[in-house]
Amino acid sequence: MASRPCLLLLLGALGALSYHNRMAYGISVRTDNNHVQAEEFKEAILSCRPSVPKTITPRIEWKKRGTGGVSFVYYNSAFTGDLKGRAEMLNIGIRIRNVTRKDSGEYRCEVSAPGKQAQDLAEATITLTVLVASATPICEVPSSAMSGTVVELRCKENEGSPASEYKWFKNGVALVETSGIGSAKANITYVLNKKSGTLLFNTVSKTDTGEYYCEAFNGVGLPQKCSVKRMQVDDLNVSGIIAAVVIVALIMALCGLGVFHAQRKGYFSRRILTIHLQQVKRISSTPSLLLFRRFQPL
């Protein structure tokens, strides 16, 4: 019976010794910020704070996870790859100068040291996001449109990170964002989508004539805008179209009567008559769209 308390005491002593060894030889790592954001061409600091016994000199490595796998950033006390020449160590953290969008990614600080039984390893993961200001957007604005038709204005830029949102202006005044067609309060006749940058008129009218431009902004740097473009909306010239059709019909009738009269008088041979009739037929088949354009007011 006396041996049992001794056995328990011995096990307790071994456990305490084992715990002491883990504390003495174990290491840990922490970071001040797991998600770092920095504007492009400025600096970013990735912190890494280890807890290592004073009697041990740890080994420090930094790695980056990218689309092609994991690559070294800091190895054998030197920076490698894209960070070589523009990064420096802060204790065991990293200061990156003049960051670019290519620097975005997941970084891993690894600290290793020889343990009592094997190599001890601790790590901390930090995500770096490089913020890129909006570029000058490209705007598509039709120079002219007919009232009652569907017209869509487009605005887009692909450089900004995060993605830009868009705002449209007419004659220097910002247009109100909408989520649907029409608004009884503001008498809105368009749909403005700030995410896609589109400005849609389902039934454009003459009152929509004006000078338009778009502005892109993502919270980084200053808003960027495209050049001003004018859109002219005109009513359909129905009277002009009717007049054109009547004139063409009269010309065709006169040509037909002239050919018939000349043929009766024997002025045209059968071959010449056939060629002339083919020309008249070609004129009569002219698309109405061409006639419409021909008689549009300047």
Side-chain angles (χ1 to χ4, degrees), residues 137-174:
I138 297 176
C139 296
E140 297 179 13
V141 180
S143 59
S144 62
M146 301 305 300
S147 60
T149 60
V150 178
V151 176
E152 185 177 65
L153 282 62
R154 300 182 182 91
C155 179
K156 192 66 176 177
E157 72 85 24
N158 297 312
E159 297 294 323
S161 178
S164 295
E165 293 189 352
Y166 304 92
K167 183 184 295 185
W168 277 96
F169 294 78
K170 175 189 176 185
N171 297 330
V173 179

Side-chain angles (χ1 to χ4, degrees), residues 83-142:
L83 295 189
K84 189 176 182 179
R86 60 186 181 93
E88 61 179 340
M89 295 296 292
L90 295 176
N91 191 5
I92 66 168
I94 296 179
R95 173 189 282 137
I96 306 173
R97 298 183 299 272
N98 196 30
V99 295
T100 69
R101 63 196 72 187
K102 292 182 179 180
D103 295 326
S104 294
E106 183 182 280
Y107 292 78
R108 190 165 68 227
C109 169
E110 295 183 355
V111 180
S112 60
K116 186 68 175 179
Q117 302 295 330
Q119 190 86 351
D120 286 336
L121 175 66
E123 61 183 39
T125 302
I126 303 165
T127 301
L128 172 62
T129 302
V130 178
L131 307 176
V132 182
S134 302
T136 301
I138 297 176
C139 296
E140 297 179 13
V141 180

Side-chain angles (χ1 to χ4, degrees), residues 55-67:
T55 57
I56 297 177
T57 301
R59 178 183 178 87
I60 310 300
E61 293 179 352
W62 278 85
K63 298 177 181 177
K64 179 185 178 184
R65 183 186 298 276
T67 55

Side-chain angles (χ1 to χ4, degrees), residues 17-245:
L17 181 61
S18 175
Y19 177 76
H20 175 74
N21 286 338
R22 287 198 300 270
M23 292 299 295
Y25 294 97
I27 60 176
S28 63
V29 176
R30 64 183 179 87
T31 179
D32 295 334
N33 189 357
N34 292 101
H35 300 277
V36 177
Q37 291 186 337
E39 292 187 25
E40 191 174 32
F41 308 125
K42 295 186 178 180
E43 72 170 31
I45 296 178
L46 312 181
S47 70
C48 185
R49 299 180 181 275
S51 176
V52 183
K54 294 182 179 180
T55 57
I56 297 177
T57 301
R59 178 183 178 87
I60 310 300
E61 293 179 352
W62 278 85
K63 298 177 181 177
K64 179 185 178 184
R65 183 186 298 276
T67 55
V70 178
S71 59
F72 278 102
V73 172
Y74 183 80
Y75 180 71
N76 279 343
S77 302
F79 286 97
T80 64
D82 292 338
L83 295 189
K84 189 176 182 179
R86 60 186 181 93
E88 61 179 340
M89 295 296 292
L90 295 176
N91 191 5
I92 66 168
I94 296 179
R95 173 189 282 137
I96 306 173
R97 298 183 299 272
N98 196 30
V99 295
T100 69
R101 63 196 72 187
K102 292 182 179 180
D103 295 326
S104 294
E106 183 182 280
Y107 292 78
R108 190 165 68 227
C109 169
E110 295 183 355
V111 180
S112 60
K116 186 68 175 179
Q117 302 295 330
Q119 190 86 351
D120 286 336
L121 175 66
E123 61 183 39
T125 302
I126 303 165
T127 301
L128 172 62
T129 302
V130 178
L131 307 176
V132 182
S134 302
T136 301
I138 297 176
C139 296
E140 297 179 13
V141 180
S143 59
S144 62
M146 301 305 300
S147 60
T149 60
V150 178
V151 176
E152 185 177 65
L153 282 62
R154 300 182 182 91
C155 179
K156 192 66 176 177
E157 72 85 24
N158 297 312
E159 297 294 323
S161 178
S164 295
E165 293 189 352
Y166 304 92
K167 183 184 295 185
W168 277 96
F169 294 78
K170 175 189 176 185
N171 297 330
V173 179
L175 297 178
V176 179
E177 181 191 355
T178 63
S179 57
I181 301 174
S183 171
K185 182 178 180 180
N187 193 28
I188 296 174
T189 59
Y190 57 82
V191 178
L192 194 162
N193 190 321
K194 68 177 183 180
K195 297 291 185 181
S196 65
T198 57
L199 176 61
L200 176 66
F201 297 91
N202 276 295
T203 52
V204 72
S205 65
K206 292 186 70 174
T207 58
D208 295 318
T209 295
E211 295 182 338
Y212 291 83
Y213 71 87
C214 169
E215 190 175 85
F217 183 57
N218 67 346
V220 184
L222 298 174
Q224 300 294 320
K225 67 178 184 179
C226 63
S227 57
V228 178
K229 297 183 178 181
R230 181 175 179 80
M231 181 176 72
Q232 180 69 40
V233 182
D234 293 313
D235 289 331
L236 188 64
N237 191 353
V238 179
S239 58
I241 295 175
I242 296 175
V245 172

